[in-house]
Amino acid sequence: MTAGLRLVPPPMHITDAPVPDWSHVVRLSDDTGLLEHARNAIARREHGYCVDDVSRGLLVACRERRPSGQVVALAERYLAFLTHAQGPDGGFRNRMSYDRRWLDEPSTGDWWGRALWGLGTAAGRCPVPWIRREARLAFGLGVRLRSRWPRAMAFAGLGAAEVLRTDPRARDATDLLSDAATMIGLPGPDPSWVWPEPELTYANPALAEVVIAAGDLLGDEPLLEAGLRMLGWLCAMQENDGHLSTVPVGGWRPHMPKHRFDQQPIEAAATADACATAAAVTGDDVWDTPLAQSVAWFLGDNDTRTVMHDPLTGGCYDGLTANGPNLNQGAESTLALVSTLQHARRLATRSATRPSGGLA
């Protein structure tokens, strides 16, 4: 284990979670956008910016119910970056160098889906009116396209779901959400492998979440049940001795031993997102358990019993290896931490109103 890291024995309690800390997100942000990589906690300017991470930043900033002026300023900056990245047909460039040169052309890869997710969240949730309006315009342009990649469609579909929650008559969002769920498909009959794909790779919870959202918002009960079945199976697959053990880099395949490392913080955050959606849609607190496990993953209840965030910087370590964390604190990982702590804050509030007093 890397020297100086804090080891935390289980069990963790949800009230142990710290409040979301934006310090490191601010450290990685400048007047252009959000720098992608860091070595330790120092931004690596040579790697520049990417739409993937700026979209995540906009999404997480707009999930703040009472954002500070600093968080609103970040949301405005990220939104400006995304509108600059968008091409006239609605596609998005992904990579910009530190000297503000785009390195690719607009297309519909994962970054297109994440951009629509961030824009849809801003349009649906941001408390700032001009951000909502501008985000809806950019979403309306991007939603005209479709991607051939299932995860890009899943991310975009989650943005469409955010729009529909505030405007149920939004036809463009309805069509995109329906198309996303159709591309993901339905769980299979084999109880040992219900996943609609032949392997578990990355961002798996987002696929189940978009099917759940489509079933709920489109009034399709069988589709909702299919999404819940997918998520329940995935949560069971990712549980190891009572704690979360996410699908690692390299993935899992049927009838093959599960390797455990390297685990990425974004996978724990995606699990928290999907379980929070399932809980909101169903009203069933059974989903609070895997949600709490996702929070606890960052706090040290994981396969190496190591805390995955740095309280001095507000950053999150980039991955969990067999020997402990990768100590670099990039944008993706730090936003995953902030997003999950936002869920923890809401879960702790709900838990405090229950007679039992909370979740272990």
Side-chain angles (χ1 to χ4, degrees):
M1 191 63 62
T2 306
L5 295 175
R6 294 173 297 138
L7 304 184
V8 178
M12 300 299 298
H13 195 280
I14 195 65
T15 55
D16 294 330
V19 299
D21 183 351
W22 289 86
S23 301
H24 193 54
V25 178
V26 172
R27 185 178 293 110
L28 295 176
S29 299
D30 61 13
D31 61 353
T32 298
L34 177 64
L35 290 160
E36 181 178 9
H37 290 299
R39 183 166 54 232
N40 292 299
I42 303 300
R44 300 193 67 178
R45 296 176 177 179
E46 67 271 26
H47 293 291
Y49 317 86
C50 70
V51 161
D52 270 321
D53 285 346
V54 175
S55 301
R56 292 183 180 103
L58 179 63
L59 184 155
V60 176
C62 291
R63 284 180 174 175
E64 282 289 298
R65 293 179 178 175
R66 291 181 291 276
S68 66
Q70 186 177 58
V71 171
V72 170
L74 291 176
E76 291 181 337
R77 203 170 313 156
Y78 301 158
L79 178 56
F81 186 96
L82 294 184
T83 57
H84 185 209
Q86 191 170 33
D89 69 342
F92 286 85
R93 302 173 181 89
N94 187 32
R95 309 207 70 86
M96 177 186 273
S97 63
Y98 188 66
D99 60 1
R100 298 187 179 183
R101 289 183 299 109
W102 288 111
L103 304 178
D104 54 1
E105 294 300 320
S107 63
T108 56
D110 279 3
W111 50 93
W112 165 83
R114 289 198 183 278
L116 289 189
W117 192 1
L119 291 168
T121 303
R125 294 202 199 189
C126 186
V128 182
W130 60 89
I131 291 179
R132 289 200 306 271
R133 291 194 298 269
E134 181 64 18
R136 186 63 177 91
L137 287 173
F139 179 89
L141 179 60
V143 77
R144 300 173 185 175
L145 301 180
R146 297 293 183 268
S147 177
R148 65 190 181 95
W149 304 107
R151 279 158 178 77
M153 285 294 289
F155 302 146
L158 291 171
E162 293 283 4
V163 170
L164 283 172
R165 290 185 182 110
T166 56
D167 182 9
R169 297 174 297 177
R171 189 73 231 174
D172 56 353
T174 298
D175 291 344
L176 176 57
L177 181 57
S178 177
D179 290 347
T182 299
M183 178 173 279
I184 300 308
L186 300 174
D190 182 357
S192 69
W193 192 268
V194 307
W195 203 246
E197 297 178 313
E199 59 183 328
L200 291 166
T201 56
Y202 68 98
N204 305 292
L207 274 62
E209 184 182 1
V210 80
V211 175
I212 292 168
D216 174 46
L217 293 166
L218 304 181
D220 188 331
E221 189 68 25
L223 189 61
L224 172 58
E225 291 301 323
L228 293 170
R229 182 173 176 232
M230 287 169 59
L231 182 58
W233 178 85
L234 179 62
C235 288
M237 287 284 286
Q238 292 191 138
E239 184 170 344
N240 183 32
D241 292 334
H243 64 261
L244 178 67
S245 180
T246 67
V247 177
V249 173
W252 289 338
R253 294 161 187 82
H255 314 300
M256 297 288 290
K258 293 180 184 177
H259 63 285
R260 296 290 177 186
F261 304 101
D262 297 329
Q263 295 177 37
Q264 302 295 298
I266 193 67
E267 300 300 326
T271 302
D273 276 352
C275 291
T277 294
V281 165
T282 65
D284 190 342
D285 61 10
V286 69
W287 300 104
D288 288 351
T289 296
L291 174 51
Q293 289 175 344
S294 301
V295 176
W297 185 91
F298 290 92
L299 306 183
D301 197 6
N302 51 50
D303 284 325
T304 65
R305 304 300 185 203
T306 309
V307 172
M308 285 297 294
H309 69 97
D310 184 343
L312 297 179
T313 66
C316 178
Y317 302 129
D318 276 352
L320 182 64
T321 77
N323 296 316
N326 172 345
L327 295 178
N328 296 331
Q329 300 172 32
E332 175 188 290
S333 302
T334 298
L335 289 166
L337 170 67
V338 174
S339 172
T340 306
L341 292 180
Q342 289 174 329
H343 289 305
R345 183 172 54 192
R346 297 184 189 106
L347 180 56
T349 299
R350 293 204 314 271
S351 299
T353 66
R354 295 176 185 147
S356 60
L359 288 173

